[in-house]
Amino acid sequence: MDSLKSKVAYLQGLADGMDLPVENKEGRLLNGIISVLEDVAEELEGLEEAQEQLEDYVETIDEDLYTLEEDLGSCECEEGDYVEVECPGCGETVMFESDILEDDDVIEVTCPNCDEVVFVNDVDDSEPLEGKDGTRHS
């Protein structure tokens, strides 16, 4: 971008060296063209800086995403350890550990999307749940 600004500065110097009067048509035209070229060079310089910042930001996001994918990919979850239920409020699928089904304490599982209770392990209040594997839990 510096070369573009230097070229515009060179043209400005040439125009100043020509001693064209600003009052005549050619002088006004040449000064107007050089002024527009200066504006274009400054705008392009700003765009180049913004593009570099955007590239750095996207690269950082890409690295974070890669790390997240690695962390999720290394999850040592087993299929049978979780129960999936559909939230009656928003329809979101909610997963929770199957150990909650046998827990003696009363535990409520809420939807992370709408905060509606999707399961309570209290035997009297809970409805039978059907997991993705077709087994029913109560």
Side-chain angles (χ1 to χ4, degrees):
M1 199 54 53
D2 290 331
S3 66
L4 184 59
K5 287 183 108 177
S6 4
K7 289 177 183 179
V8 172
Y10 175 75
L11 290 175
Q12 180 68 44
L14 283 177
D16 290 344
M18 292 175 65
D19 289 329
L20 288 175
V22 180
E23 298 83 31
N24 72 15
K25 295 177 190 177
E26 292 84 12
R28 285 193 307 256
L29 177 64
L30 190 55
N31 284 331
I33 291 171
I34 291 174
S35 175
V36 169
L37 287 174
E38 286 175 326
D39 293 344
V40 168
E42 287 178 19
E43 285 293 320
L44 286 176
E45 183 178 42
L47 287 174
E48 183 179 41
E49 290 173 8
Q51 177 68 26
E52 288 173 4
Q53 290 174 351
L54 184 60
E55 287 174 1
D56 290 343
Y57 183 68
V58 168
E59 185 175 318
T60 302
I61 289 174
D62 187 45
E63 290 169 359
D64 291 345
L65 180 59
Y66 177 76
T67 303
L68 183 60
E69 287 173 343
E70 287 292 312
D71 291 346
L72 290 176
S74 66
C75 179
E76 298 175 9
C77 305
E78 295 180 19
E79 286 289 325
D81 291 343
Y82 291 92
V83 175
E84 293 182 6
V85 293
E86 186 174 310
C87 175
C90 66
E92 180 83 16
T93 300
V94 179
M95 293 179 61
F96 58 91
E97 292 184 16
S98 62
D99 295 343
I100 291 176
L101 299 172
E102 288 93 31
D103 202 320
D104 291 337
D105 297 328
V106 176
I107 297 176
E108 289 185 352
V109 177
T110 58
C111 175
N113 192 35
C114 68
D115 291 329
E116 184 162 337
V117 175
V118 295
F119 176 78
V120 178
N121 75 335
D122 187 11
V123 177
D124 297 336
D125 296 337
S126 65
E127 298 178 9
L129 299 176
E130 186 171 312
K132 290 273 183 186
D133 59 359
T135 59
R136 295 182 66 80
H137 305 276
S138 52

